[in-house]
Structures are given as C-alpha cells and as structure tokens.
Amino acid sequence: METIPEKPKEGGITFASQDSLPKLPIPELEQTCKKYLAALKPLQGPREHSETKIAVQEFLKKDGPELQRKLQEYAVGKTSYIEQFWYDSYLNFDNPVVLNLNPFFLLEDDPTPARNNQVTRAASLVVSALEFVRAVRREELPPDQIKGVPLDMYQYSRLFGTARVPTENGCQIEQDPDSKHVVVLCHGQFYWFDVLDDNSDLIMSERDISINLQTIIDDAAQTPIQEAAKGALGILSTENRKTWSGLRDVLTKEEGSNNADCLGIVDSALFMLCLDYTEPATAAALCQNMLCGTNEVVKGVQIGTCINRWYDKLQIIVCKNGSAGINFEHTGVDGHTVLRFASDVYTDTILRFARTINGQAPSLWKTASPDPSKRDPESFGDVTTTPHKLEWDMSPELNIAVRFAETRLADLISQNEFECLDFAGYGKNYITSAGFSPDAFVQMAFQAAYYGLYGRVECTYEPSMTKAFLHGRTEAVRTVSEESVNFVQTFWADNPAEEKVEALRKACQQHVNNTKECSKGKGCDRHLYALFCVWQRYLDAENSRSPSSMGYSSPIENGSEQGSIVGSPGQESVLSMNEEVRSRQRGDSTNSRCGEHQVPAIFTDAGWDKLNNTILSTSNCGNPSLRQFGFGPTSGGGFGIGYIIKDEGINICASSKHRQTKRFVDTLESYLLEIRRVLRITNRKSASSRQTRAREIDPDVKPRSSHHQRLKTRGRMITGTDSLRALATRSSTGTRSPTEESLMMSEDDELGGYGFFDAGMLLQALKARGEALDQSEPKASERAAANARRREIGKKLRLVEY
C-alpha cells in the first residue's frame, strides 16, 4: 500500500510541514493525577471523592511511576504515544458502527434554488469532491493552520478509497490509493463507474455524471422497492462486526460466485454516493436520514433509506429534493478533516457555478483538471465510464442475513430519537461582544439546561483538537468544574443578575483554561488511558505472550512491536476515549485474568467508572457550509449533542434513547433567551459606571444662560444602545470594554471542540493484497488483463437522454 512519502513531493504544499510537527508530549504523572481529581471532584460526594484521592495516592506511590516509565520507553520511536492504543480500541469495537461510531454532516442547501434537484446537486457535489481528491493526491491542498501554526495533514490521504473491513480478529482498514471509481447506491442497488484517470484528472464533466446518475435512477426504479429491499446487501454493514465478518466470508468464498468481485468494487471505491428517494420534511428528520436512514416498513418489508447505505465507507447522501449530507466511518479521520472536505466541496460547487456565469470567478484549487470534453478519449486510459450494476448472487443464507440485519437495525433506529434547535436569537457576534468565549458560553448553556431539567450535574465530554502535534487527534475537555457547578446553582437560584453573570464569567474562563491545556496535550484522559493500556500490555506479555494488535498495525511503525490488545469498549459507542476504557471496570474479566497481577487502584476506583460514563457527549464542529451535524448518544442514559456556532445563530442537534430530547432542547432554548435578558440587565446597570470623564460633567453642571447654551440643551438626551456603550473606552480604573475582553477570552474559538470527537489513524498497509502490491509492480499485460476483467463486473447500463 502507498504511504505518505517521508518527504513531500517537490513543490507539494499539503504535507510540507509534517516533518516539523512536534510529537504529542507525555504529561507529567503528578499533573495528570491532579487534573483527574479536579475533574472528578464536582461529580462526587465528599466520601466518594475521599476514596478516589486514596486510590490516586496509592497509584502515585506504587504502580504509577513504573507504568509512566514503561510508557516513555514504549513511545520511543513511535509517532505518538497514544496512537496504537487508540486504533486498537476502535478496530476491535464489535457493535454496529451505525449510530455508535459514524457521525454525520448536513450541508446547507445550494444557494441557487434551481440546482437543488437530486441529479444536479449530486453531480455537482461529486465533481467538487473529485477536485478535492485531485488536490490531495497532487499535494496542492493548502495545509490547515490555526493562527499561523500548521496542523497535521496525514488524515487527508486516508479519506478516500478506504473501507473498514471486519475480520474474525477485529476490523482492519483497507485502502486502494489508486482508486478511480465511485459506487452509487439507489433503492438499495449498487452501481459503479470510473471518474478519474491515472493522473487523478477528471474524465467526466458534470453533465456526463448527471447522465450517468439519471440512468442509474431510472434503472433502479425498474425493480420494485419491496423486491430490491430483499437483496439490499448494504444493510449487512450495520451488523455486529463479528457477524458481518462471517457474512463477508460467505460472500467471498462461494465458488463460481461474482460476489467477491462486487465486494472488491465497493471496498475500493473512492466514496459512496447514496441517492435517496425520500424528502424529509423537518430538520430532525433530515438529521436522522443522514445519521442512520429512515425506518419505514410496508407490508412487512423495510423500504426506508436505512437499506440504502454502506457504513464502512465515506458516504455522500443526496435526497430527492437535493438536501445533502455526509456520513463517514471515522476510525482514521476526525471531524476537523471531514469538515474541511465538506466546506471545500460546498464552496467549490458555488464557485464552479459562478464560473459558468463569469469565467474570471475564483477557484479553490491551485490547478484544475483539463476539460474532459476537450480531451482525446484515448488519453483517459483504460477506464469504464458507463455505469454498471453490481449483480450479487443471493443465496438463501444471504437472504436470511439481510432480513435479520434489517430487523435489528430497525430496532436500533427505533431506540433513538433526534431533535434540532436552529436558534436564531444570537450567535458568536453577540457572545463575543458580551466578553465570552462562544464555545465556553454554549457549554455552560448545556450545563444550565440539564441542571434546570434534572437538578443535578453529570459527566460531560467535549473534545479539544490536538492536531498541532504529529498525528494528533483530540484530548477530552471535562466541562464540569467547581466553577460550572457554582454557576448553574447560582443561575437557578433567586440571585441578582450581576451575581449570575459573574458566576457565568468565572465558569467560562475556567472552561477556556481547560481547553487551552488540552489543546497542548496536557489533559488527563488520554494519558491515563495510555497508562492503562501499558499495564494491560505488560499483563499480556506476562501471561500469554500473545500478539497484541488485532487486525491493525501502526501505519508508521513498520516492523516495530505491534502494541497491546485493547478490548472492545464496553459502551454503545467509542465516540470518545472515555467510553473506550469502560471495558475494564471493577469486577470484569481483567481481575480474573490477571491472577497475581492486581489492577492498579486508580482503575478499580468508582471515580474511574464515573468519569468514563459520559451523560452529555458534546462537540462543536462546523462552519457556514453546514446546517447541522451530530452523532448518536454515547451511553444509554445520555445525550449526544453536536452544535455549530454561527455569527448570528446556534444550530444544535441532540440525540438520546428517548430521554425527553425535545424537552431538553426546549429548556436549552429557554435558557439561551433568559441569559440574554440577564446580560442586558447587567449591561444597563453597568453603563453609568463606565462613562468617561467627559460625560461626568453632564448631570451636575447647570447650563449657562446664554442663547448658545440654551440651544445645546434642546431635545431629549440619548444614552446610546447597550452595544454602543459596551464599546466605550477604558475608564480611569483600567476596565476593559467587552469587545476588548472578548478578544482575549475567545482565543479558543478554533480549538474548543473543533476537532469533533475522537478518531484514529487509518491503516496504511493492507494485509496480503497490500503487501503483494508493495513487493512488485504488475506487468503491463497483467494490468490489461485485470482491467479487462474489471470492465465485465456488473451489468452495463444503457445511457439515457438527459
């Protein structure tokens, strides 16, 4: 398999800063334990916290220093001390990825209404996505930066042509780095055609792709949906991973069947394009459609869009009315990476349309593909541009598997609910003008709403991006602090407005401080999890000398030691690392397995369980190209909350397993309106104390009796709006204006939650197939024979007029 070159291509800019990125630091053990106790204190009672303190002290005296030393030794020569453990936990996750792992983005509609029909929108998005692929492969994509600091770009090379493939020993990520085709799903039926040449230049215009998509839609409609649903093999990707692994074996090992070839076409596609036949009417319905599809059973047959997905790959989903979104398997790519992809694709669709009006309109890309319509078809090489339908050989065993996979998925969908809040009262501009960090302000809104509804605080998780480090991912920000608890209690009590605002200000500042520490790799969660994995690694070496990494090896450390076996997380999701460590709680198999090796006290203490049972799993990820984004709840009794803070609004998508999600969202909206009222009260009261010395003479000095002075007193004196008064210059006491304060307090805008939630790095080298590709370059005759055979996979369609 191809890897990112050690040195970037000559003239390439995408990976130019990779070699200069620092490694994620291993925090000091004492500091990690101190932050761990600080995170737990507001969540525990005095007695429970006292017990946790004793466990931490014992850990610092006994196991901790030795595990820290072993972790430091392990990290020598590694890209990141957490990377291998991270991958293992994701790829050994056995539960279905749908609703548990895969998140979604809902794009804004195309600003040109006429282009919001399914075929036009889908073709436009595909062309823009292919231009993005081209920019990555040619290393022309400008690198991500925050305030001039370059960020890790490794994930972009693993975004396309990849698939999560289950095996009996856990999943592995496979990639075809030379992929040049897309797979289209329509009515649960599979189609494919080539879209790039060997140089990653586009070989089809937007019109060409539109013709192909219309051809596919017409062909898919010829099979009644009730019949198509019975053979919708995409539903198998929603199964338990071990079950899905066994079914893939059935697909690939049957003699005389072409299922293996069909599966190879799907796995190696650049991405999936899902053409849905529904038109969800509400934002919540749209979000559900993008996350897990619709559940609609007619005459005992599932005909919802849940059958029109393949969850092991990146998916672009387009509804009948042109509404579009993205669902992605994120083991190797985090939200920040896919957000860049989504926003660039959305922007390019607009700019490309603008260039049809004005040829001088700008472009996102350094270079563009030559116009396919002006190229010699011979220059495309050995490609297949006419869509082919994949025809699976459905055995009785596969028919039964599809049936039961669908009923289990329908159960899963029915167990979850989704609600959206498109809050238009205010957004980032107002929040910063009031002197608050937007992310911290919204995080405190979640705390206040939950406390107002239930009268308690719960474990809350938010990711902070660590991509300033080589192969950085995220660190867990623990929102609940002593300051946040004081704020929610102050807010819901009968206290003066000034006291409520002051409590809010302190809570937000504490959240900003925590976020900054985490973005520097100085949180406690990842470090403690790595120490736990090192302990388990040592235990494995002592007890069984077993190979460690099931189905995965670090993409950088070729030939190095594989890492440890990290058991599948014991939660419904591994959206965050705090869910992953739940697999080793008190009284589980760890104790019985270790014999004389006692589990370190910190990992058997009740505090470890509490911090790793997330009730409010939150993430801030978005920009104007997105309408919503979200994910499923990470625990049975929790909420999954994705939010986007825009200049003049806040978009929130909340999910839960029927925990009064609508009521929670309504409470959140009420709080956002109420806190604005409170802020306005304090602004009015503080205005008089913020007057400059020039204004101090107005109330007390009587006007002179001259005609000129009488003219000056005519009319009603106005005092200015709150926002203008807030811009007054500093007083003699040196008080900053809210605008000045906001510039200082919103430094974490790009950091807090921007990394979405957790992910790992994609596999770089395939198992057998990848190794074979690396060992020898196939001969030209072999390539020609393979391409000739490939062209015969699937039934060739007859193109329609479009």
Side-chain angles (χ1 to χ4, degrees):
M1 291 272 71
E2 200 174 84
T3 64
I4 283 196
E6 291 297 323
K7 295 191 179 298
K9 289 181 182 177
E10 187 175 348
I13 60 174
T14 305
F15 309 112
S17 299
Q18 289 296 110
D19 290 342
S20 63
L21 292 176
K23 289 186 178 181
L24 188 69
I26 299 177
E28 294 293 328
L29 184 61
E30 291 77 10
Q31 288 300 312
T32 290
C33 289
K34 182 179 178 181
K35 290 173 181 177
Y36 175 69
L37 288 173
L40 278 171
K41 187 176 181 180
L43 297 171
Q44 295 179 310
R47 180 176 177 179
E48 187 180 9
H49 191 63
S50 177
E51 292 174 352
T52 296
K53 276 185 175 180
I54 293 172
V56 169
Q57 289 167 2
E58 181 183 335
F59 181 69
L60 284 170
K61 291 178 181 177
K62 293 183 178 179
D63 302 295
E66 178 65 12
L67 290 176
Q68 177 81 343
R69 184 186 64 79
K70 288 182 180 294
L71 178 61
Q72 290 169 340
E73 291 175 355
Y74 165 83
V76 174
K78 301 288 192 298
T79 307
S80 164
Y81 77 86
I82 190 68
E83 188 174 26
Q84 185 67 59
F85 305 133
W86 185 279
Y87 305 147
D88 288 339
S89 63
Y90 269 90
L91 293 171
N92 294 326
F93 181 72
D94 290 332
N95 288 340
V97 295
V98 60
L99 279 165
N100 289 321
L101 290 183
N102 288 28
F104 79 90
F105 289 155
L106 175 62
L107 297 172
E108 289 282 8
D109 288 342
D110 193 300
T112 307
R115 295 178 59 79
N116 275 315
N117 70 75
Q118 186 175 41
V119 170
T120 303
R121 185 84 195 276
S124 178
L125 290 172
V126 167
V127 170
S128 294
L130 295 175
E131 290 287 5
F132 190 94
V133 173
R134 181 180 183 274
V136 170
R137 288 181 171 179
R138 295 170 66 95
E139 299 188 20
E140 295 175 350
L141 187 72
D144 295 326
Q145 292 185 347
I146 286 185
K147 301 185 185 216
V149 177
L151 302 181
D152 184 271
M153 294 292 288
Y154 187 85
Q155 296 173 48
Y156 289 96
S157 68
R158 296 293 168 259
L159 187 54
F160 307 104
T162 60
R164 179 182 180 124
V165 177
T167 73
E168 62 181 8
N169 293 319
C171 291
Q172 61 189 32
I173 299 296
E174 296 186 357
Q175 181 182 27
D176 180 357
D178 301 316
S179 175
K180 55 186 180 181
H181 67 279
V182 297
V183 168
V184 181
L185 267 168
C186 187
H187 287 214
Q189 300 164 77
F190 294 74
Y191 302 83
W192 74 275
F193 55 91
D194 285 327
V195 287
L196 298 177
D197 64 15
D198 290 338
N199 296 319
S200 296
D201 286 327
L202 277 69
I203 59 174
M204 304 187 78
S205 66
E206 186 174 331
R207 176 173 172 76
D208 293 332
I209 293 176
S210 296
I211 292 173
N212 275 8
L213 297 185
Q214 189 62 57
T215 299
I216 288 170
I217 290 172
D218 292 349
D219 183 82
Q222 293 178 18
T223 305
I225 184 63
Q226 286 84 358
E227 285 302 312
K230 296 175 183 177
L233 282 177
I235 203 80
L236 298 181
S237 68
T238 71
E239 266 287 14
N240 172 282
R241 304 309 292 179
K242 287 183 179 177
T243 303
W244 179 206
S245 170
L247 292 170
R248 282 183 65 103
D249 288 342
V250 172
L251 282 166
T252 56
K253 292 180 179 178
E254 190 173 335
E255 289 188 22
S257 170
N258 66 345
N259 287 341
D261 289 335
C262 292
L263 204 53
I265 288 288
V266 174
D267 287 342
S268 62
L270 285 162
F271 52 82
M272 310 293 290
L273 174 66
C274 305
L275 300 177
D276 288 351
Y277 52 88
T278 56
E279 299 180 81
T282 66
L286 269 171
C287 289
Q288 176 183 329
N289 190 61
M290 300 304 168
L291 182 61
C292 57
T294 59
N295 174 22
E296 183 182 357
V297 178
V298 175
K299 296 181 179 179
V301 178
Q302 176 66 257
I303 63 170
T305 59
C306 64
I307 68 171
N308 202 48
R309 300 285 185 270
W310 190 273
Y311 286 101
D312 290 342
K313 293 182 66 68
L314 173 69
Q315 303 175 92
I316 297 176
I317 303 166
V318 185
C319 299
K320 192 173 181 180
N321 60 0
S323 296
I326 295 171
N327 183 294
F328 61 98
E329 200 292 310
H330 79 111
T331 297
V333 291
D334 61 25
H336 177 263
T337 301
V338 185
L339 175 62
R340 168 76 183 275
F341 167 66
S343 58
D344 279 9
V345 164
Y346 183 81
T347 302
D348 184 63
T349 59
I350 298 171
L351 293 178
R352 199 155 27 79
F353 179 65
R355 287 196 295 276
T356 65
I357 302 170
N358 178 356
Q360 302 303 311
S363 171
L364 276 182
W365 321 115
K366 182 180 178 181
T367 64
S369 292
D371 187 346
S373 64
K374 297 178 181 178
R375 288 177 59 181
D376 180 355
E378 293 294 323
S379 69
F380 296 155
D382 194 1
V383 296
T384 303
T385 57
T386 302
H388 283 60
K389 181 178 182 179
L390 296 181
E391 296 183 307
W392 306 87
D393 295 325
M394 296 298 295
S395 65
E397 185 176 0
L398 288 175
N399 281 320
I400 293 171
V402 168
R403 168 68 172 172
F404 291 155
E406 178 274 309
T407 56
R408 279 191 280 269
L409 176 61
D411 269 354
L412 192 57
I413 294 174
S414 300
Q415 290 163 12
N416 291 268
E417 62 179 0
F418 312 90
E419 290 293 341
C420 292
L421 173 61
D422 292 327
F423 182 75
Y426 56 87
K428 179 179 179 179
N429 289 342
Y430 174 77
I431 296 170
T432 53
S433 72
F436 294 96
S437 153
D439 184 71
F441 185 92
V442 175
Q443 281 289 323
M444 292 310 120
F446 299 146
Q447 294 299 308
Y450 193 91
Y451 189 86
L453 198 55
Y454 297 106
R456 63 179 185 270
V457 295
E458 297 277 17
C459 182
T460 306
Y461 170 89
E462 183 195 8
S464 178
M465 186 173 63
T466 57
K467 288 180 73 175
F469 300 98
L470 186 63
H471 290 197
R473 278 298 177 278
T474 61
E475 178 58 85
V477 181
R478 294 302 175 180
T479 304
V480 178
S481 63
E482 292 186 275
E483 290 81 2
S484 74
V485 173
N486 177 63
F487 161 63
V488 296
Q489 292 175 344
T490 301
F491 178 83
W492 289 107
D494 187 15
N495 292 306
E498 294 85 356
E499 192 174 331
K500 294 181 180 182
V501 171
E502 182 61 23
L504 174 60
R505 205 171 292 283
K506 288 179 179 178
C508 287
Q509 186 57 55
Q510 181 60 40
H511 188 77
V512 169
N513 295 341
N514 289 344
T515 301
K516 287 180 179 178
E517 283 288 286
C518 290
S519 69
K520 297 174 184 176
K522 296 180 179 179
C524 67
D525 282 64
R526 303 299 182 255
H527 185 202
L528 285 174
Y529 182 70
L531 293 173
F532 172 82
C533 291
V534 167
W535 171 78
Q536 187 181 348
R537 176 190 177 90
Y538 171 74
L539 187 68
D540 291 337
E542 287 290 308
N543 288 351
S544 62
R545 304 289 178 182
S546 62
S548 58
S549 180
M550 295 195 292
Y552 191 82
S553 60
S554 176
I556 291 302
E557 300 140 18
N558 294 327
S560 68
E561 208 168 354
Q562 293 275 313
S564 72
I565 301 174
V566 179
S568 299
Q571 295 290 316
E572 289 123 307
S573 171
V574 287
L575 294 178
S576 58
M577 190 66 73
N578 53 317
E579 270 75 64
E580 294 162 8
V581 297
R582 298 277 299 165
S583 60
R584 298 298 182 215
Q585 298 176 1
R586 287 183 301 174
D588 69 2
S589 61
T590 300
N591 280 317
S592 59
R593 201 161 65 96
C594 66
E596 70 276 10
H597 300 289
Q598 187 176 356
V599 184
I602 194 171
F603 302 130
T604 61
D605 175 67
W608 181 252
D609 293 349
K610 182 176 286 289
L611 198 63
N612 292 304
N613 182 27
T614 299
I615 301 302
L616 294 180
S617 183
T618 70
S619 186
N620 167 15
C621 186
N623 62 27
S625 69
L626 299 188
R627 180 176 173 185
Q628 289 285 359
F629 109 94
F631 45 93
T634 65
S635 63
F639 291 92
I641 307 172
Y643 59 105
I644 302 169
I645 306 173
K646 298 187 176 182
D647 286 347
E648 302 298 338
I650 305 169
N651 293 9
I652 298 166
C653 177
S655 65
S656 79
K657 295 186 182 297
H658 295 279
R659 265 206 70 184
Q660 301 189 87
T661 313
K662 178 68 165 62
R663 193 175 181 185
F664 174 75
V665 167
D666 289 344
T667 306
L668 184 59
E669 182 177 27
S670 298
Y671 164 82
L672 290 170
L673 294 172
E674 173 63 15
I675 196 64
R676 179 177 62 178
R677 186 187 71 83
V678 171
L679 286 169
R680 284 174 172 173
I681 291 173
T682 58
N683 282 343
R684 283 198 296 270
K685 288 183 178 180
S686 64
S688 59
S689 64
R690 288 192 170 190
Q691 292 176 353
T692 64
R693 295 196 62 82
R695 296 186 186 276
E696 289 174 7
I697 65 171
D698 285 346
D700 302 323
V701 180
K702 295 181 180 180
R704 295 174 185 173
S705 58
S706 67
H707 174 69
H708 180 67
Q709 292 296 332
R710 285 199 305 273
L711 287 177
K712 285 187 175 182
T713 62
R714 296 284 173 86
R716 177 173 61 86
M717 183 173 72
I718 60 175
T719 59
T721 63
D722 292 342
S723 59
L724 290 176
R725 287 200 302 276
L727 293 172
T729 57
R730 293 185 186 182
S731 70
S732 58
T733 62
T735 304
R736 293 187 180 91
S737 71
T739 301
E740 292 171 311
E741 290 174 348
S742 72
L743 291 175
M744 298 185 67
M745 296 185 67
S746 62
E747 290 176 357
D748 68 321
D749 286 352
E750 303 94 335
L751 298 174
Y754 197 60
F756 190 42
F757 41 88
D758 305 322
M761 191 58 57
L762 285 181
L763 180 64
Q764 198 160 19
L766 286 179
K767 290 285 184 178
R769 185 174 67 170
E771 291 167 2
L773 286 173
D774 284 339
Q775 289 169 2
S776 63
E777 189 70 25
K779 297 178 182 178
S781 59
E782 293 174 348
R783 287 200 302 268
N787 283 329
R789 183 168 174 272
R790 178 173 175 268
R791 283 197 298 272
E792 299 306 315
I793 299 177
K795 181 184 72 175
K796 185 175 181 180
L797 301 188
R798 188 174 178 180
L799 296 181
V800 300
E801 299 284 338
Y802 184 76

